[in-house]
Structure formats: C-alpha cells, structure tokens
Amino acid sequence: MASKIIVSTRKFQSNRLLQRKQMIVDVIHPGLPTVKKTEIKEHLSKRYKTTADVISLFGFQTKFGGGSSSGMALIYDNMDFMKKFEPKHRLMRLGFGTKKTVGRKQRKERKNRMKKFRGTKKAKLGQQAKKK
C-alpha cells in the first residue's frame, strides 16, 4: 500500500527562529481512503534525512472526490526544540504529555466555591483543592 502513495511538499520554509523546517505536504493516494500519518512521516524522514519522531503532522484534509490530501508538516532540529515550541495539544497527540484529569463539573464546583470567599481565604481554598 505504501508504494501507491506519492508525497510531495510545497511552500518549504526554513524557520531558524523556531529551529524547524515547515512545509505543506500533498499526498496523492488513488484508490485509498486516507494515508496514515506514520507512513507520511516515513516518507518525509527519508527525504529530509531525519528521524520520524521529530516530525509533526497536522491539519490533513482529503480533497473532495478523494485521491489526494494535504496538510502541514513541521520538522524540528531535535526533540528538545520540539518539546519547547510545539503546542501542548499536539505534543499530547504524539504521546509526550498528559491530559489534566480533573473533570469539568469538579472545576465548575470549585470555581463557584471560590466565589464565596475573598483575599487570603480564597487563596487557602484554592491551595486546598490543588492538594487533593
């Protein structure tokens, strides 16, 4: 399946300020619904001589009628710069972060409890909730 896809890039920029290369990726995949991001990462890592773990892919949309998709790719110089500059939600998708486990209802209840206090009592109530 991987041999049927064609990966091409356009609007390539080398962004030295953020220590990355950024580009738009066009994938042609006739007869296939979509292509896995891991396959696209493999193609890009071979082309740009990097490892697949420093590549971030996002925003892929299949064109109407199928057969081709396009999205963005960011290739960081190393993992440290990726963790520094990449948004937290994309790092979580890649498995580098953890999501906050506090539920929405608990946050709302805490917010409403804190409305009833002012000053130092409010700060103490906030510290108490964070310890639990």
Side-chain angles (χ1 to χ4, degrees):
M1 281 195 170
S3 61
K4 288 184 180 179
I5 66 170
I6 299 168
V7 178
S8 60
T9 60
R10 59 188 168 93
K11 294 190 178 180
F12 178 88
Q13 280 187 325
S14 182
N15 191 336
R16 291 295 94 209
L17 191 63
L18 297 176
Q19 306 296 322
R20 69 185 185 197
K21 300 175 193 97
Q22 51 198 44
M23 65 207 78
I24 295 175
V25 179
D26 293 321
V27 184
I28 300 171
H29 47 90
L32 297 173
T34 56
V35 181
K36 293 182 180 177
K37 287 184 182 180
T38 54
E39 291 181 27
I40 299 171
K41 279 185 181 185
E42 289 171 12
H43 279 273
L44 290 175
S45 63
K46 287 177 189 172
R47 181 177 291 174
Y48 292 101
K49 297 177 181 69
T50 62
T51 57
D53 59 340
V54 295
I55 298 174
S56 174
L57 300 172
F58 60 95
F60 275 84
Q61 290 189 329
T62 306
K63 299 285 189 260
F64 181 73
S68 69
S69 304
S70 64
M72 283 288 296
L74 305 174
I75 302 174
Y76 287 90
D77 290 349
N78 58 38
M79 188 59 74
D80 295 332
F81 289 123
M82 184 175 188
K83 288 180 180 176
K84 183 177 180 182
F85 295 122
E86 194 71 5
K88 300 291 182 252
H89 69 278
R90 288 206 297 251
L91 284 174
M92 280 190 273
R93 281 184 199 162
L94 297 170
F96 294 115
T98 56
K99 193 172 183 179
K100 295 177 184 172
T101 57
V102 180
R104 181 175 175 182
K105 186 161 185 157
Q106 288 175 333
R107 281 183 286 166
K108 287 185 172 210
E109 287 173 354
R110 182 172 151 229
K111 173 187 65 109
N112 290 330
R113 275 198 309 270
M114 287 182 67
K115 281 183 190 177
K116 297 173 187 171
F117 296 101
R118 291 178 55 126
T120 57
K121 289 183 182 178
K122 186 182 259 190
K124 287 178 187 175
L125 187 68
Q127 291 295 326
Q128 226 174 20
K130 286 182 182 178
K131 286 181 182 177
K132 291 182 181 178

